[in-house]
Amino acid sequence: MTNKEANQETAKPLNFIREIVEDDLRTSKYGGKVQTRFPPEPNGYLHIGHAKSICLNFGIARDYSGLCNLRFDDTNPTKEEMEYVESIKEDVLWLGFDWQDREYYTSDYFDKLYEYALQLIKQGKAYVCDLTADEMRQYRGTLTEPGKESPYRNRSIEDNIELFEKMRKGEFPDTSRTLRAKIDMASPNVNMRDPVMYRILHAGHHRTGDKWRVYPTYDWAHGQSDSIERITHSICTLEFEDHRPLYDWFIEQLEIHHPQQIEFARLNLSYTVMSKRKLLQLVEERIVNGWDDPRMPTITGLRRRGYTPEAIRYFADRIGVSKRETIIDVSLLEDSLRQDLNKRAPRAMAVLRPVKVVIDNYPNDRVEELEAVNNPEDPGMGTRKIPFSNVLYIEQDDFREVPPPKYFRLSPGKEVRLRYAYIIKCHDVVKDSKTGEIIEIHCTYDPETKSGGSQSQRKVKGTIHWVSAQHAVDAEVRVYDRLFRVEDPNGDEWKSFINPDSLEVLKNCKLERGLVNVTQQERFQFERLGYFCVDPDSRKDRVIFNRTVTLRDTWAKIEKAGA
RNA sequence: UGCCCGGUGGUGUAAUUGGUAACACACUUGACUCUGGAUCAAGGAAGUCUAGGUUCGAGUCCUAGCCGGGCAGCCA
């Protein structure tokens, strides 16, 4: 690390949450302890937005010698499933974080929560209410008008205890009664107008089975769960800001450990959607091929796409944390990935849209083994041999019969360097007589220009990649583009912004010989094209790659500007 | 029309807590290059939502507005 980098490292500013944590450490607010938690609801797959929260919570715990728990917020048995619990654990681990033995569930606290509820009833701070959902809404008032008190609000403590007990035993039908906190129906904060703490639900729970017929609401369960786990800093998203007074109220009535809730803005990324509801819809309506579709912003999708945990963590670091609602440009995510992969991914040559090149003056029975560097960024990664012969494939894009201005690649009468091989010159083109499609490009090579040879110094403008036809490995490559055509595809019309060309399957790709034996998830840089990784669908006899991200492409910009 | 939160280049995040706006991404230009990659260098781009005020001095403090977001599930 250079001095400059070291300085940047130490000068790295704290986000506002870390400032609060450091203040609390200085004043010993929590006895010098830091305890955070990541509390997902197991009703969907984790996405890049959750990654931000995971990095925040686990990162703070790590940096201030604290601990971070994983807690599943499983208070709604009608929506939650074990499938999601498993996927969430896998994703957190993959991101590089470890909750060790602290895998908790809100349902672990159902007994305790029930006791707390009884305590509030006995304090005259909670009551059983017989209002229907409709009636309750009417009694709640509006944003500008106060609510009315429920007629059941002043039941005796004894009646409340008895009724609540019967609710628990399942003696009443679903939704017939609720347990409510007795706070203030005229509060300007609607959350304080006697919120529901328990609802009757005759539903089995994925962990507690048939034990309960009443289930705590999130508002009642969350703060107390944090308290039970001795959380010091309860970091959550902005929409819970209005709920904080309620959580504080519960904690104060109960006189139990009081965590500090801190809210931050959730992540939005351009050209994608992030809400669980929308992601679920994309999956269920088969707009994408499952939660792990490489176009999805889910962790599992990004993983399949070829993203690395390092890149995602670096990205989370770079976006910062604040209370402003913003949309982060995907290019920052892509840049984070390229920075990581550039250093680590071995290079290979691959032709995605092949066109045949015949070197007329190269003996057709000859094969040379040429030396290629595995990663110019890291000499330690060594070199490999690649075969060269008289029939090659090059990229269709790398030949133009009529070259536009500033085109450095192959065209009639022009020369290019074949990477790690020779300089060739094009002198003829064979076309299909019917379609006009170019079938073969005829070239001659200059034997004096072999890479690394004594006469190899001659300069040509362009260098292109190639694959020897007789040695090529056939492959399928899935090329992805952004899922949506607009930066902010939200609102009611969101589905109309879906990019119909977000997936292109190329079935006739030619890879260099060395890629016959690849393993799942293995990543490469295909020179001049981008980073690619082996898809789980890949088989020994049918190699399949995903394009993770393209390289920066200056030519594409020039061409676009010209057009 | 009640309560809560936010407003700094195109996009994000900073600004030693009152000292004269920085970093990254994106963009532009150039150098270098057997990846139009990588790298390096340079540049344009905000005077900090507005209007007042306090102060020698305000992105930071005060006042009044304006704009954006959230909240009326027995969802989380």
Side-chain angles (χ1 to χ4, degrees), chain A residues 430-491:
Chain A
V430 179
K431 293 184 190 175
D432 184 303
S433 55
K434 291 198 184 76
T435 64
E437 186 193 357
I438 295 170
I439 299 171
E440 269 179 22
I441 299 165
H442 283 262
C443 297
T444 51
Y445 85 113
D446 178 350
E448 301 301 308
T449 56
K450 184 173 172 179
S451 288
S454 56
Q455 304 299 307
S456 69
Q457 299 311 307
R458 187 147 69 85
K459 302 287 184 211
V460 283
K461 253 316 197 186
T463 299
I464 63 174
H465 61 277
W466 52 274
V467 170
S468 166
Q470 59 173 299
H471 302 94
V473 177
D474 290 312
E476 172 178 323
V477 174
R478 298 171 182 172
V479 171
Y480 301 100
D481 197 356
R482 30 195 62 150
L483 232 195
F484 292 88
R485 303 181 337 255
V486 299
E487 259 187 60
D488 184 10
N490 281 295

Side-chain angles (χ1 to χ4, degrees), chain A residues 136-249:
Chain A
M136 201 181 290
R137 191 178 324 115
Q138 280 159 20
Y139 275 79
R140 190 154 30 229
T142 71
L143 294 176
T144 53
E145 296 160 312
K148 286 184 302 191
E149 296 189 348
S150 161
Y152 307 97
R153 200 173 199 255
N154 294 310
R155 288 217 244 239
S156 71
I157 288 173
E158 292 67 36
D159 286 355
N160 279 321
I161 291 174
E162 194 187 322
L163 253 15
F164 186 42
E165 179 75 2
K166 285 182 174 168
M167 280 170 64
R168 197 207 81 210
K169 287 182 182 158
E171 293 185 18
F172 304 123
D174 278 10
T175 74
S176 60
R177 286 182 165 86
T178 57
L179 183 75
R180 297 225 261 163
K182 191 193 280 191
I183 309 178
D184 177 9
M185 289 306 292
S187 171
N189 182 347
V190 189
N191 296 122
M192 302 298 271
R193 323 241 262 227
D194 291 11
V196 171
M197 296 164 60
Y198 277 93
R199 70 286 215 187
I200 300 170
L201 244 35
H202 290 260
H205 185 279
H206 67 99
R207 300 201 92 230
T208 61
D210 289 332
K211 181 174 177 186
W212 297 91
R213 302 285 75 147
V214 290
Y215 289 95
T217 59
Y218 175 87
D219 272 350
W220 165 244
H222 193 81
Q224 279 63 257
S225 300
D226 281 345
S227 178
I228 290 166
E229 292 181 17
R230 311 295 296 179
I231 301 302
T232 55
H233 303 270
S234 303
I235 299 165
C236 66
T237 44
L238 254 26
E239 68 269 28
F240 296 106
E241 210 154 18
D242 288 339
H243 297 238
R244 180 163 21 99
L246 172 60
Y247 303 160
D248 288 346
W249 186 89

